[in-house]
Amino acid sequence: MAWEEDRHERTEKATPKRREEARKKGQVARSREVLSTAILFAGVVIFYFSGQMMVRSMKEVMALFISGSGTFELTQESARTLLEESLRIFARILAPFLILPLVAAFVSVAQVGFLFTSETMKPNPQRLNPVEGLKRLISPTSLSELVKGIVKLLFIGYVAYGAVKEEVYGLGALTGADTMTILFYLGSSSFRVFLKTAWVLVVIAALDYAYQKWEMERNLRMTKQEVKEEFKEAEGDPRVKSRIRTLQRDLARKRMLADVPKATVVVTNPVHLAVALRYEHGETGAPVVVAKGAGVIAERIKEIAKDNSVPVVENRALARLLYREAEVGKEIPVSLYRAVAELLAYVYSLRSGV
């Protein structure tokens, strides 16, 4: 099997995505021992509380047939009446057992939650392949199931033998007893035997469920390469993402530089930083940063400003504050209103020649 070949490389725990994919395929930790034990417990409880009613109902059926055996005249009406009465009694006998499907559904949901998948119903040609069937037959999983079955049978058999042995001594007291007394004793002794062996069934079911969980976790483990590939699929190839971020930055930079000609003033420090501000009375509530940059970008902002007759003013402190605290496309912080207002007043005075 492929998993067995690289099991030593599967050192990583399954990711949430891997678990979800496995769940969609029906690969979940489900113990048949838990299900069978729960159904067995439910069946015994039903017999314990409904046994006498079942016996009485069976007596009614027998009495129904025997009482009229000598005088019964078979007609369409009498046959229908007999059938309806018999079905009514049998329905009363079988009604308590309708709980068993509900118990099975509850136990299944308790183990794996609500799960419906059509993957297990899809046709698989490999299931018809005798070679693959032989491999599954002699696989480690099959052998482990065989060993578990043998150990379970021996263990339960040993405990049950001791419990039955204790009950055998009471059979001598049934000599000469009527049928109901014998049936009552057999029922109560069977219930006592079940109680003495029930803890074995519970332990086996718990161990099997733990084993199924461990086995599922082992089968879901991943190699480091699989984890990396899944991360790439989920997050994207880092090289592609880096390229996308670069393109996004370039586009944002181009849009930003395209807004420089609309600026009212460009503040510099004067070499390393440049911040372009736009303010129109009645149009913007406060000056807005239309562009900012350092190094080459700062030089490009200043070039565009000069080409479009936008004033470039040197103010080292203000330039540093604007570059650090203001964001492109947003109004300047309130703390810088006064300094920027003085700068704009200076720019307007240059325009008016005052």
Side-chain angles (χ1 to χ4, degrees):
M1 296 175 64
W3 190 94
E4 295 293 337
E5 293 174 358
D6 62 351
R7 65 183 184 277
H8 298 298
E9 298 179 6
R10 295 182 178 272
T11 58
E12 307 302 310
K13 290 185 178 180
T15 60
K17 180 182 177 183
R18 178 68 169 260
R19 295 179 187 278
E20 185 63 26
E21 290 177 350
R23 182 176 176 81
K24 290 179 180 179
K25 295 178 182 178
Q27 298 174 2
V28 291
R30 181 189 291 111
S31 172
R32 287 177 290 183
E33 297 297 335
V34 173
L35 181 61
S36 59
T37 300
I39 292 176
L40 181 60
F41 266 85
V44 171
V45 170
I46 290 172
F47 273 116
Y48 181 79
F49 288 102
S50 306
Q52 292 184 357
M53 181 273 292
M54 294 178 184
V55 173
R56 287 196 302 269
S57 298
M58 291 299 296
K59 287 174 63 178
E60 288 183 26
V61 173
M62 296 177 66
L64 183 65
F65 282 95
I66 294 174
S67 61
S69 59
T71 59
F72 182 75
E73 182 179 354
L74 183 62
T75 63
Q76 184 176 0
E77 184 66 25
S78 62
R80 184 173 65 253
T81 303
L82 181 62
L83 179 61
E84 289 176 353
E85 186 65 19
S86 301
L87 290 176
R88 182 183 64 80
I89 296 173
F90 278 116
R92 191 169 62 199
I93 295 173
L94 297 177
F97 292 99
L98 296 176
I99 299 174
L100 296 181
L102 298 178
V103 171
F106 175 79
V107 173
S108 297
V109 171
Q111 289 190 81
V112 301
F114 291 96
L115 174 64
F116 176 79
T117 176
S118 59
E119 290 290 332
T120 55
M121 295 183 289
K122 291 182 179 179
N124 187 354
Q126 290 188 348
R127 295 176 183 172
L128 303 177
N129 189 335
V131 177
E132 293 295 328
L134 184 61
K135 287 181 180 179
R136 289 194 296 269
L137 186 62
I138 60 176
S139 66
T141 302
S142 299
L143 293 177
S144 66
E145 290 294 329
L146 177 61
V147 172
K148 283 195 302 180
I150 294 175
V151 171
K152 181 179 71 172
L153 182 62
L154 292 176
F155 198 24
I156 295 177
Y158 175 76
V159 176
Y161 172 76
V164 172
K165 189 176 180 180
E166 294 179 4
E167 298 293 333
V168 168
Y169 295 110
L171 293 177
L174 297 177
T175 304
D178 56 69
T179 304
M180 288 302 298
T181 302
I182 295 175
L183 290 176
F184 178 78
Y185 176 80
L186 291 177
S188 59
S189 61
S190 298
F191 187 73
R192 287 193 295 271
V193 169
F194 172 77
L195 291 180
K196 292 176 182 178
T197 57
W199 67 270
V200 180
L201 298 174
V202 173
V203 170
I204 291 176
L207 292 176
D208 185 67
Y209 181 71
Y211 173 78
Q212 296 298 333
K213 291 280 289 184
W214 174 82
E215 180 73 8
M216 186 194 70
E217 290 294 328
R218 189 182 69 148
N219 290 335
L220 290 179
R221 292 185 79 87
M222 306 168 66
T223 64
K224 294 182 182 295
Q225 183 61 32
E226 286 176 337
V227 174
K228 290 180 181 178
E229 292 296 331
E230 185 175 301
F231 178 78
K232 286 183 179 179
E233 291 179 4
E235 300 295 330
D237 192 321
R239 291 173 295 182
V240 175
K241 292 183 68 177
S242 176
R243 178 59 178 165
I244 292 174
R245 285 195 295 267
T246 301
L247 292 174
Q248 289 174 338
R249 284 195 298 268
D250 290 342
L251 289 173
R253 188 179 300 119
K254 289 179 180 179
R255 286 195 297 267
M256 181 183 69
L257 294 175
D259 289 335
V260 173
K262 303 175 185 177
T264 305
V265 63
V266 173
V267 188
T268 68
N269 75 335
V271 178
H272 302 294
L273 302 176
V275 180
L277 301 175
R278 179 174 181 268
Y279 177 72
E280 294 293 337
H281 182 69
E283 182 179 336
T284 56
V288 176
V289 178
V290 295
K292 70 175 184 178
V296 176
I297 302 301
E299 292 297 328
R300 183 60 182 152
I301 291 174
K302 288 186 288 185
E303 290 177 5
I304 297 175
K306 291 175 181 178
D307 292 341
N308 291 273
S309 301
V310 176
V312 178
V313 178
E314 179 183 339
N315 189 324
R316 296 173 183 269
L318 182 58
R320 285 195 295 267
L321 289 172
L322 286 169
Y323 184 81
R324 185 173 65 246
E325 300 181 15
E327 296 182 26
V328 176
K330 295 185 178 180
E331 295 181 352
I332 62 173
V334 176
S335 59
L336 299 179
Y337 276 9
R338 184 180 180 85
V340 173
E342 293 176 355
L343 175 67
L344 291 174
Y346 171 71
V347 171
Y348 290 146
S349 67
L350 290 178
R351 288 182 178 178
S352 61
V354 178

